[in-house]
């Protein structure tokens, strides 16, 4: 097998704090192993548009502490087409780039996997999404920072909730998954947590709130963005009707969850994953995602991360029932 000499890295989909630490690790570990490393600007869009530039060690100085991604990111419609992927392949070939590292979530990996098969091109994925919803890894880059951002925000909301004896519904990100809601809800002592993975929660919430109305004046209810039983506004209305005279507010945390300085945990894990991704390409282990399982690096076929569904931790669900 030929020795790999030139690799590229890109970030795709929603940005996540710690992506820069992963880029830095890919660049510096690649250079130290004698590779030339290239950065693709704006994810697959930049790959198609040939926005590819060499990255030197100095180009990734002073970025480990920053949120966002220095490579920019995008959600690319064109990469979903065979014609788009062909353009991307030709651009890589023209620059003699022999391996690609994709930092992103499940949508980005679906594209990466398709591209790898279609063009027989070596690809390695690094899980980067605040949602933590990727099969094959306990943890995705950005999740820890997002959790801490949510907990910090909810602590602040609790101050005002308790001062006014209010019930707050707080919506957190997670388009299809409740990982952020579940863990941040436990960490912030939420009275109820509603996530898309669990059914029948609305009924349970109504029962809990009916009981709580008499004993506790202020409450925090965390709702995952992907919750489908009712919208957060409908839930607030239902509880308002259930507890006459209750003072209810809805707070949607939104994109603040995606920004900010990455936590130490995100920086270290992203660095480990970046190095592992470079090593995987060098050792010809392709079309895999770098995962962290029980705090150890593991390699999972990209096809599996796309097909399989990551389950929420049932032990954590039990904690919610016990402590609320
Ligand atoms: O990155 C994942 C995610 O944060 C989801 O939780 C959220 O629904 C989505 O991104 C928002 O994406 P956008 O910024 O493209 O609207």
């Amino acid at each position: 097998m030929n020795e790999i000499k030139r690799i590229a890295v890109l970030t795709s989909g929603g940005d996540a704090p710690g992506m820069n630490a992963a880029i830095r690790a890919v660049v510096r570990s690649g250079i130290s192993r004698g590779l030339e490393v290239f950065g693709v600007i704006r994810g697959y869009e930049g790959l198609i548009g040939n926005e590819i530039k060499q990255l030197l060690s100095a180009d990734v100085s002073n970025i480990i502490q920053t949120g966002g991604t220095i490579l920019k990111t995008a959600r690319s419609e064109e990469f979903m087409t065979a014609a788009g992927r062909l353009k991307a392949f030709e651009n890589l070939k023209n620059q003699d780039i022999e391996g690609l590292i994709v930092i992103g979530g499940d949508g980005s990996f679906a594209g990466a996997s398709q591209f790898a098969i279609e063009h027989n091109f070596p690809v390695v994925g690094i899980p980067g999404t605040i949602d933590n919803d990727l099969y094959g890894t306990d943890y995705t880059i950005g999740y820890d920072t997002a959790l801490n951002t949510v907990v910090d925000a909810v602590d602040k909301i609790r101050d005002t909730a308790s001062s006014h004896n209010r019930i707050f519904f707080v919506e957190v990100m997670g388009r299809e998954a409740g990982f952020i809601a579940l863990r941040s809800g436990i960490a912030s002592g939420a009275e109820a947590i509603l996530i898309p993975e669990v059914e029948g929660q609305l009924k349970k919430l109504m029962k809990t709130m009916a009981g709580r109305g008499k004993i506790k004046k202020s409450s925090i209810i965390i709702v995952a963005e992907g919750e489908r039983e009712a919208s957060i506004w409908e839930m607030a209305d239902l509880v308002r009707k259930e507890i006459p005279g209750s003072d209810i507010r809805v707070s949607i945390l939104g994109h603040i969850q995606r920004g900010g300085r990455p936590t130490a945990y995100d920086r270290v894990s992203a660095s480990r994953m970046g190095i592992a991704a470079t090593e995987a390409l060098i050792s010809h282990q392709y079309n895999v995602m770098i995962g962290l399982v029980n705090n150890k690096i593991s390699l999972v076929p990209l096809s599996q991360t796309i097909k399989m569904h990551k389950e929420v931790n049932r032990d954590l669900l039990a904690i919610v029932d016990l402590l609320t």
Side-chain angles (χ1 to χ4, degrees), residues 152-166:
D152 184 52
V154 173
D155 287 351
K156 287 172 177 152
I157 288 173
R158 200 179 271 286
D159 288 344
T160 177
S162 104
S163 302
H164 285 265
N165 282 342
R166 280 177 173 159

Side-chain angles (χ1 to χ4, degrees), residues 13-15 75 129-131 173-176 180 225 255 258:
D15 62 336
R75 301 191 196 272
T129 162
I130 63 163
D131 292 350
M173 275 187 168
R175 193 168 17 211
E176 274 145 37
I180 296 178
E225 181 190 7
H255 285 79
R258 284 243 295 261

Side-chain angles (χ1 to χ4, degrees), residues 165-170 191-194 201-214 216-223 230-250:
N165 282 342
R166 280 177 173 159
I167 297 168
F168 264 84
F169 282 79
V170 182
E191 277 67 28
I193 302 168
L194 287 93
Q201 299 167 105
L202 193 53
K203 223 164 133 196
K204 198 166 148 198
L205 173 72
M206 298 311 291
K207 221 170 126 198
T208 315
M209 294 316 287
R212 292 188 75 81
K214 298 175 198 88
K216 192 170 177 185
K217 296 290 180 212
S218 76
S219 292
I220 301 283
I221 298 148
I222 303 277
V223 184
S231 77
I232 195 165
W233 302 100
E234 287 163 347
M235 286 180 200
D237 280 345
L238 285 170
V239 172
R240 202 170 274 128
K241 281 188 199 122
E242 182 66 40
I243 313 174
S246 56
D247 196 358
I248 301 186
R249 293 289 185 275
V250 169

